[in-house]
Structures are given as structure tokens and as C-alpha cells.
Amino acid sequence: MMKKIFILITACVLISSVSDAQIPIISVITTLAKKVLNALDLAVEKLQNETIELQNVQKAIENEMSQLQLDGITDWVQKTKDLYSEYYQELSEVKQIIADYDKVKQIISLQEKIVSEYQSAYALFKQDKHFSAAEISYMYNVYSGILDQSLKNLEQALLVVNAFVTQMSDGARLNIINSAASGMQKNYNDLKQFNNQNIQISLQRAADANDVQTIKQLYGLQ
């Protein structure tokens, strides 16, 4: 009998410690997000410098072509365009990469929302008397799974930022960014759906009108 009581107490302590714990992966996500942003800032700064240089070249080319047109040398205008076409192409590519990096920032922003909403909702569910310790533990596991998937999407974003332009084609870079963005959006949607389901469960378990009102106040519902 004493052995059974000891096992029961131990199980309760373990469940309680899990329900009160912060998911360890949060610190990993936070660290990686900062790493991505730092790498992103350095990459964008470099690309912006390249853009300025290329725009200066573009301006010089356009001035030269304008002068040639004034002089009526139309064949030289075309030759100049052909000669410096690679500059225009490179400028276009650099601008596209900067636009892609803006998408990476949006991915990081969505990751931050996932972490923030998880922390807020999980803290409220632990205060809700309608959920047992076992159910809180289950929530912990679900949140861990969602956050783990979001970390993998964040790692994809870092892969894009760390890759040199010559090492990754435009198509490959865009595919990875789109995949990471789509995955992160799914993580966010799954989190919102899971939170809403739990709130509805709590409302269904309410004993009376006053209990319903208490729950609504807890979750900030109208």
C-alpha cells in the first residue's frame, strides 16, 4: 500500500514539474532567431553596398547612352547597352535577394508570435481549474511538437542567409524561403487552433453562468 502511495506521489510530482516547466527549446529558438537576424543584417548591409555601387555604374551608363543619343550614334547606344547588360542583371539580382531577405524577416517575426502566444496561452491554461495536471502535461507535449517544427523552419531561413549568392541559385533560395514561410504559417495556425480548442473545452466544462464569465475573463473573451 505504502509503495503504491509513493508511486502515485512520484507521478504527481513529475507531472507537476512538467506542467510548470518552460519548454527548453524556447531558448534554442531565441538564440537561433538572433543569429539569423544578425547574419541577415550583415548580408543586407553588404548587398546594399553592392546596390549603391551598381546604381552608380548604372547612372554612368545611362549618362553615356544619353550623350550618344544626343550625338545621334544609335548603334553605339545599342552596343553600350549590350556591353553593360550584366550590370543591369546583377543589380536586378541583388535587389531580388534583398526582397527575399525581407521575407526571411517576416518568417522570424511569425516565429516570435508563435513563442509569445504559446507562453501566454500556456500560462493561462495552467491557471484554469477545468484542466487536470495530466491534460496540462499533454498540452506541454503538443506545444513542444509545434515549437520543434517551427525551429526546423527557422533553421531553413538561416540556411538561406548563410549561403553565398554564388552557392545558391535564385530558384533554390526562393524555394527554401517559401517552404520555411509556409511551414511557419502552418505552425502558427496549428498553435492558434490548439489554443482555441482548449478554450472551448474549458467553456464546455463550466458549471454555471458565473463560471463561464470567469473563464471569459481569464482568456480575454467578450
Side-chain angles (χ1 to χ4, degrees):
M1 181 66 179
M2 289 298 295
K3 185 176 180 181
K4 289 183 179 179
I5 293 175
F6 175 76
I7 292 173
L8 180 60
I9 292 174
T10 303
C12 289
V13 170
L14 288 174
I15 290 174
S16 178
S17 64
V18 168
S19 65
D20 290 337
Q22 179 73 273
I23 296 178
I25 202 172
I26 291 296
S27 61
V28 178
I29 289 173
T30 303
T31 301
L32 185 58
K34 290 179 180 177
K35 186 176 181 180
V36 174
L37 283 175
N38 289 337
L40 197 60
D41 289 340
L42 290 174
V44 169
E45 183 180 357
K46 180 181 177 182
L47 289 168
Q48 286 174 336
N49 290 335
E50 288 183 26
T51 302
I52 292 171
E53 292 175 5
L54 290 168
Q55 285 175 332
N56 288 336
V57 172
Q58 179 185 18
K59 186 176 180 180
I61 294 170
E62 289 174 348
N63 288 338
E64 183 177 348
M65 287 192 296
S66 178
Q67 185 60 47
L68 288 171
Q69 285 175 330
L70 288 174
D71 294 341
I73 313 176
T74 55
D75 58 330
W76 276 99
V77 173
Q78 186 58 50
K79 287 180 181 179
T80 303
K81 284 183 178 179
D82 295 340
L83 181 62
Y84 292 106
S85 61
E86 62 181 285
Y87 285 102
Y88 289 101
Q89 179 63 29
E90 188 176 351
L91 178 59
S92 175
E93 289 175 357
V94 169
K95 287 182 176 179
Q96 182 57 53
I97 294 171
I98 291 177
D100 290 345
Y101 284 177
D102 283 339
K103 295 178 184 176
V104 173
K105 284 191 175 182
Q106 294 172 14
I107 293 172
I108 297 172
S109 177
L110 190 54
Q111 171 74 85
E112 291 172 347
K113 287 181 66 176
I114 290 173
V115 171
S116 176
E117 294 198 22
Y118 140 69
Q119 290 174 324
S120 175
Y122 188 47
L124 292 177
F125 291 138
K126 288 192 292 184
Q127 297 176 42
D128 194 328
K129 65 181 182 179
H130 298 117
F131 296 113
S132 66
E135 287 172 323
I136 295 298
S137 180
Y138 169 74
M139 291 180 193
Y140 177 95
N141 291 332
V142 172
Y143 285 130
S144 294
I146 293 174
L147 290 166
D148 182 60
Q149 288 299 316
S150 72
L151 177 60
K152 291 177 181 177
N153 292 316
L154 195 59
E155 287 171 343
Q156 282 188 300
L158 180 62
L159 175 65
V160 169
V161 176
N162 282 344
F164 293 104
V165 177
T166 55
Q167 293 178 329
M168 183 177 291
S169 67
D170 293 343
R173 185 179 64 250
L174 187 59
N175 285 339
I176 292 176
I177 291 174
N178 287 340
S179 175
S182 176
M184 195 69 79
Q185 186 63 55
K186 183 179 185 304
N187 299 149
Y188 181 70
N189 293 343
D190 288 346
L191 180 75
K192 294 285 289 184
Q193 182 180 9
F194 183 64
N195 288 342
N196 290 334
Q197 285 175 348
N198 289 331
I199 291 172
Q200 291 304 313
I201 289 172
S202 181
L203 287 169
Q204 291 170 7
R205 293 175 178 178
D208 51 40
N210 288 335
D211 197 5
V212 169
Q213 189 58 35
T214 299
I215 297 170
K216 287 183 176 182
Q217 289 176 350
L218 177 64
Y219 297 111
L221 303 176
Q222 297 295 329

